[in-house]
Amino acid sequence: MNRLIDKLAILTICMMSLFMSDSFSEPVIVTIVTIAFSAATQLLTGRLAAYVLIMGCSLLCGAFPLFFCAVPLMLYDALWEKKWWLIMPAVTVLLKFDSLKFGQIMITAAATAVTIIVYNRISGLEKTVEKLTQLRDEVAGKNRQLSEQNMRLAQAQDNEIHLATLKERNRIAREIHDNVGHMLTRSLLQSGALIVINKDEQLREPLESLRSTLDSAMTSIRESVHDLHDDSIDLRKVIEDSISAVDGRFTVNLDCDVSGNMAGNVKLCMIGVVKEGLSNAVKHSNGDRIIIVIREHPGFYQLMLEDNGNCSEIKEGGIGLKNMTDRAAALGGRITFTPSPEGFRIFMSVPK
């Protein structure tokens, strides 16, 4: 839009020079032709056709000297094309320079100076706008990177808090087991010994009640400790630790997508099967890649562990495979082992 306004202003100055001519039709024709050439040049900017149009309009100055009055507009287009020398053919007007009036020459010279000043101002303004736009894009990119980094830091902090919480739960469970559990066990043994050596029938019933109370407390403590321990198991973290032991031999891809409310016994089953599968891969596979996928579905969990080693058969009755089968069966699940020349796959499903 700025370029169009500038061209209208330059054209207005050029028309002042054109209509100083004695003829009425020639200035109109030159104005129309110049406007058409200038519009076509702007439409074809950056192409060879635009250069040809500017140079062709300049050449007309030699045949029709009045076109010299439109040189400022041609110069403006040539400057935008970064090829100011395209208007050099306009010097052919010198062959018929005497056909122009002094006023026309002076106005054209003034319009040429105005054209150069306007171009420098507008081009400088556009460069400034371009720099500001680039700066804005860079700032937006930096802000986006900063936002992503803050998100990663927040996620890392959440993971640290989660791991710290799990460690604290594990410590509490261990403290309860080591201290309160042992004390209750000793109390149960002492109450049992008192019942055996007691000769007073009146004390038998209170002693039996005391033993029953201690036994219930022991059961409650044991369940609480197991719940705390199960909650303190981070399935992904434990599996990643197991993977780190085989990273030197295999490239392992882990895809674990489960919620945080998975039962502890299911976590232990998954961990046991993954560890056993990784151990078997290290011992028997000649591949270099392992894929582990753990998925949660509405009614069951799935585990798939696959390596790319060449295995066409398996040994029936192997201790490792039997242990994995027993783990799945204990939870009512199913597990299959599929050997093939492309690799060995373990697939397990466990109902919720």
Side-chain angles (χ1 to χ4, degrees):
M1 181 59 71
N2 289 332
R3 185 174 175 182
L4 180 60
I5 294 173
D6 292 342
K7 290 176 77 169
L8 287 174
I10 295 170
L11 179 62
T12 301
I13 300 174
C14 292
M15 289 176 65
M16 293 172 58
S17 173
L18 286 169
F19 284 98
M20 291 179 67
S21 173
D22 296 332
S23 172
F24 176 78
S25 59
E26 287 184 5
V28 175
I29 294 172
V30 171
T31 301
I32 294 174
V33 173
T34 303
I35 292 174
F37 272 60
S38 181
T41 300
Q42 186 166 342
L43 183 65
L44 300 171
T45 183
R47 302 180 186 177
L48 179 61
Y51 310 155
V52 173
L53 286 173
I54 296 173
M55 185 171 291
C57 194
S58 300
L59 285 170
L60 290 175
C61 294
F64 305 99
L66 198 58
F67 272 96
F68 180 75
C69 297
V71 164
L73 190 60
M74 304 177 204
L75 175 62
Y76 189 76
D77 287 325
L79 289 173
W80 277 106
E81 297 297 330
K82 309 299 182 184
K83 292 178 171 38
W84 64 267
W85 44 266
L86 290 174
I87 65 165
M88 292 301 295
V91 298
T92 55
V93 74
L94 296 175
L95 300 175
K96 298 181 180 181
F97 203 64
D98 54 349
S99 61
L100 294 174
K101 296 179 180 180
F102 179 76
Q104 290 176 313
I105 297 172
M106 294 304 296
I107 293 175
T108 302
T112 302
V114 170
T115 298
I116 296 173
I117 294 172
V118 169
Y119 169 76
N120 289 332
R121 180 182 64 84
I122 294 299
S123 62
L125 179 62
E126 290 200 354
K127 288 179 180 178
T128 302
V129 171
E130 184 179 353
K131 288 181 180 179
L132 290 175
T133 303
Q134 184 178 0
L135 181 61
R136 182 198 62 189
D137 294 342
E138 290 178 358
V139 170
K142 295 289 184 181
N143 288 336
R144 185 166 54 252
Q145 291 177 0
L146 184 60
S147 177
E148 292 175 355
Q149 186 175 5
N150 288 336
M151 188 180 299
R152 287 195 296 268
L153 289 174
Q155 186 177 2
Q157 186 177 18
D158 291 341
N159 290 337
E160 291 291 336
I161 294 173
H162 179 64
L163 290 176
T165 302
L166 296 183
K167 289 180 180 178
E168 183 63 16
R169 286 182 180 179
N170 204 9
R171 186 192 66 79
I172 293 172
R174 187 169 58 252
E175 291 292 332
I176 294 174
H177 178 271
D178 293 344
N179 296 322
V180 181
H182 289 169
M183 292 174 67
L184 285 175
T185 301
R186 185 172 62 184
S187 299
L188 280 170
L189 292 175
Q190 289 174 348
S191 64
L194 288 174
I195 292 173
V196 171
I197 65 175
N198 176 54
K199 303 299 182 181
D200 190 348
E201 291 297 328
Q202 294 181 351
L203 294 177
R204 179 173 296 277
E205 185 175 348
L207 289 173
E208 290 289 349
S209 178
L210 175 61
R211 181 177 180 179
S212 176
T213 301
L214 290 173
D215 188 56
S216 297
M218 186 66 181
T219 302
S220 179
I221 288 293
R222 185 181 296 111
E223 290 176 352
S224 298
V225 169
H226 285 175
D227 290 341
L228 280 173
H229 181 263
D230 291 346
D231 289 341
S232 68
I233 299 174
D234 188 333
L235 180 64
R236 175 182 286 273
K237 181 67 169 56
V238 174
I239 292 179
E240 287 177 349
D241 291 341
S242 302
I243 290 173
S244 64
V246 300
D247 273 347
R249 165 82 182 277
F250 293 92
T251 299
V252 185
N253 295 325
L254 172 63
D255 184 1
C256 182
D257 183 14
V258 295
S259 62
N261 57 357
M262 179 186 286
N265 56 351
V266 178
K267 291 181 182 178
L268 294 174
C269 177
M270 294 280 185
I271 292 170
V273 171
V274 169
K275 287 184 176 180
E276 191 67 43
L278 292 175
S279 177
N280 286 346
V282 171
K283 293 177 183 177
H284 307 295
S285 175
N286 59 357
D288 60 358
R289 187 178 70 254
I290 296 176
I291 299 175
I292 302 174
V293 179
I294 301 175
R295 287 277 186 272
E296 178 178 1
H297 299 281
F300 57 93
Y301 299 98
Q302 282 186 338
L303 165 67
M304 191 274 288
L305 189 150
E306 182 179 20
D307 67 74
N308 63 341
N310 185 1
C311 180
S312 57
E313 60 179 358
I314 58 175
K315 294 181 179 180
E316 297 291 340
I319 296 177
L321 301 184
K322 187 176 185 306
N323 287 340
M324 288 188 277
T325 303
D326 291 342
R327 287 180 184 275
L331 299 178
R334 293 173 57 85
I335 189 168
T336 58
F337 309 102
T338 308
S340 71
E342 290 78 27
F344 183 77
R345 172 181 293 184
I346 301 171
F347 188 85
M348 179 178 71
S349 62
V350 177
K352 289 189 175 180

